[in-house]
Amino acid sequence: MNKSLLSQGLGLLLAGTIACSPEEVMVDYQSMSDAERLEAATEMAHHTIIVDGHVDLPYRMKVGGFTLQREVLDVSTRTDGGNFDFPRSREGGLDAPFMSIYLPARYQEMGGAKKLADSLIMMTKRLAETWPDKFAMAYSPDDIEAHFKEGKISLPMGMENGAGIEDDIANVGYFYKQGIRYITLTHGKDNLIGDSSYDTSRTHGGLTAFGEQVVKEMNRVGIMVDISHVSDDTFYDVMELTDVPVIASHSSSRKFTPGFERNMDDKMVELLGKKQGVIMINFGGSFIDGDYNERTAVVREHIVNWLAQNNLSRSDSAAQAYIEQYTRENNVFPDVSLVADHIDHVVAIAGIDYVGFGSDFDGVGDSLPNGLKDVSMYPNLIAELLKRGYSKEDIEKICYKNVFRVWRAVEAASSAS
């Protein structure tokens, strides 16, 4: 197939500048070469809104020492570290990364969760204020669509850990006014709202009475309920209580990670679909590959032993050269195809309307799979899906239409209340 003609034709088609009959718009992506398919996927990524349910840039800025009193991290240019910046987002076609307002569980005990949330929200807004030609805050799907037309990257926000609500139900409405559009009910520990998947204490056996108030208030004000991180009991309590669909902003399928409750099992995915929700697949190695942690431990143990035997530290140039070579030859990372496997599995259980992207970029360290190391690489995943027979319409649903459907349903229920 002629690449130039493919690029020109697909670009016009995706941009909507040519009218075609249903027969004419059918493209057999599976018959393309890998290079042609990647070109088609890249064109598709650049002409389709891509929403990512979870990017941890705000906390990356905090860890990097950036504060409200100092300049924010310059992500308008290519950065040396991390997974997100404007140039790489443009390369990958990312248009609306949900900025994670991440509140570590320790703030539940030491206090200050709401204060931290406020500072991270202001830091995120500073990005849009500093580079208004590149970034814009987004509080609705309509905002994202408008910014997409303007060539700007939207910055919707979700609060990761309901601890920021503290013990005051009025803070749900407060955070809506601050721009928060989903709240992940728990994080690594049980909190005042309910139990966490990571906490074996099972303090409450699911949602608390206060947690039930929080879910209802989120429904009322128009904040999406995010069930990533919650225990199974908390999930089922939420599903029984909520009046509108919910999201899992950055979770994957437990089928591939047996015993990892942080992911969702088949029954949960099926129920989420029946209730019109969406699971946004996490790209992190331990989320998509049940053997990843074991393989990583083996490599880590070898390196520690080699350093001791050679009386070297990691900072020594000889050690760095050896570690680079050894890790390259003993690659522990899964491949982008495994992320597609998770999407396939969700589609098989619930359907194409109930899955999306929730990378956890800037939040899962260096565990990201080959082919999905940063925000420039969404076309690699799209190409893999096209190879498996997904259509352009399917890709659009995964990229943004599914989460927009949930978001609009939550908006509509709020405005009608």
Side-chain angles (χ1 to χ4, degrees):
M1 183 177 293
N2 185 296
K3 283 189 177 183
S4 178
L5 290 176
L6 168 67
S7 179
Q8 293 174 26
L10 186 61
L12 289 170
L13 176 61
L14 292 172
T17 58
I18 56 177
C20 300
S21 68
E23 291 75 21
E24 290 174 315
V25 301
M26 293 299 293
V27 179
D28 184 4
Y29 299 106
Q30 291 180 291
S31 69
M32 294 178 178
S33 69
D34 288 344
E36 289 170 340
R37 193 181 300 109
L38 180 57
E39 182 180 3
T42 302
E43 289 278 358
M44 199 173 289
H46 290 163
H47 289 89
T48 301
I49 294 173
I50 295 180
V51 176
D52 191 310
H54 195 90
V55 174
D56 273 298
L57 176 66
Y59 203 75
R60 172 185 160 200
M61 291 192 290
K62 181 184 186 304
V63 171
F66 295 91
T67 68
L68 294 180
Q69 288 71 43
R70 296 175 54 191
E71 292 296 321
V72 293
L73 176 65
D74 186 358
V75 289
S76 70
T77 59
R78 194 175 300 271
T79 57
D80 291 332
N83 310 128
F84 171 88
D85 54 46
F86 183 83
R88 285 183 287 176
S89 294
R90 273 289 161 261
E91 291 169 16
L94 176 62
D95 302 291
F98 265 92
M99 296 285 99
S100 171
I101 305 304
Y102 165 53
L103 311 176
R106 64 180 180 274
Y107 283 86
Q108 298 165 192
E109 300 174 355
M110 61 187 281
K114 180 175 179 290
K115 182 178 180 180
L116 174 59
D118 285 337
S119 69
L120 295 177
I121 289 168
M122 291 303 297
M123 206 179 299
T124 302
K125 291 179 178 179
R126 180 74 63 82
L127 293 174
E129 294 167 358
T130 305
W131 299 287
D133 58 324
K134 294 181 172 67
F135 301 107
M137 300 306 299
Y139 307 114
S140 68
D142 289 349
D143 287 346
I144 294 173
E145 289 176 339
H147 300 155
F148 178 72
K149 293 176 182 177
E150 296 168 356
K152 297 179 182 180
I153 292 177
S154 294
L155 300 178
M157 294 184 293
M159 187 166 73
E160 186 179 20
N161 194 350
I165 298 169
E166 298 183 337
D167 59 355
D168 187 353
I169 197 67
N171 281 331
V172 175
Y174 169 82
F175 280 116
Y176 179 86
K177 292 177 181 178
Q178 298 307 306
I180 295 297
R181 290 300 179 265
Y182 76 66
I183 295 176
T184 317
L185 299 181
T186 69
H187 193 255
K189 294 288 185 181
D190 301 346
N191 62 17
L192 296 179
I193 294 171
D195 292 344
S196 163
S197 61
Y198 284 129
D199 194 332
T200 58
S201 303
R202 298 297 185 261
T203 306
H204 315 292
L207 278 178
T208 65
F210 179 68
E212 292 177 354
Q213 293 180 48
V214 168
V215 170
K216 284 294 188 181
E217 185 67 359
M218 289 172 68
N219 287 176
R220 189 188 72 81
V221 304
I223 295 179
M224 290 181 284
V225 176
D226 177 20
I227 51 79
S228 287
H229 279 287
V230 304
S231 70
D232 289 6
D233 288 338
T234 304
F235 166 80
Y236 284 110
D237 285 349
V238 169
M239 297 306 288
E240 184 176 347
L241 185 67
T242 182
D243 296 323
V244 292
V246 306
I247 66 170
S249 68
H250 59 307
S251 295
S252 300
S253 170
R254 202 179 298 173
K255 174 184 183 296
F256 300 90
T257 58
F260 186 37
E261 191 175 344
R262 172 65 180 79
N263 279 341
M264 298 181 68
D265 70 21
D266 291 359
K267 290 183 178 179
M268 297 166 76
V269 171
E270 182 180 16
L271 179 58
L272 188 73
K274 287 181 178 178
K275 297 282 190 176
Q276 301 299 304
V278 61
I279 173 174
M280 309 180 80
I281 301 299
N282 192 310
F283 298 171
S286 61
F287 288 84
I288 61 172
D289 186 348
D291 297 326
Y292 172 76
N293 287 335
E294 182 178 347
R295 293 197 308 276
T296 302
V298 170
V299 169
R300 185 166 52 245
E301 182 179 7
H302 172 85
I303 291 172
V304 169
N305 291 337
W306 184 89
L307 291 171
Q309 292 166 5
N310 291 274
N311 196 29
L312 293 171
S313 70
R314 285 181 177 270
S315 61
D316 293 322
S317 59
Q320 291 177 356
Y322 177 81
I323 292 171
E324 180 181 358
Q325 178 182 348
Y326 182 81
T327 54
R328 183 173 61 251
E329 294 174 351
N330 298 268
N331 193 316
V332 300
F333 300 106
D335 185 77
V336 62
S337 62
L338 189 48
V339 177
D341 289 345
H342 281 257
I343 293 173
D344 280 349
H345 190 65
V346 171
V347 171
I349 293 171
I352 189 63
D353 298 310
Y354 310 106
V355 67
F357 299 149
S359 65
D360 214 348
F361 280 138
D362 279 335
V364 288
D366 62 358
S367 74
L368 291 157
N370 297 317
L372 276 177
K373 294 296 187 182
D374 62 36
V375 294
S376 71
M377 299 185 182
Y378 294 95
N380 292 335
L381 178 53
I382 293 173
E384 179 65 27
L385 294 173
L386 293 175
K387 184 178 182 179
R388 298 180 183 211
Y390 287 78
S391 68
K392 174 178 174 288
E393 181 182 4
D394 294 334
I395 299 300
E396 290 174 346
K397 288 183 177 183
I398 295 169
C399 286
Y400 78 100
K401 287 184 176 179
N402 291 341
V403 69
F404 271 19
R405 172 182 49 77
V406 174
W407 196 347
R408 292 191 193 282
V410 172
E411 285 182 327
S414 171
S415 62
S417 62

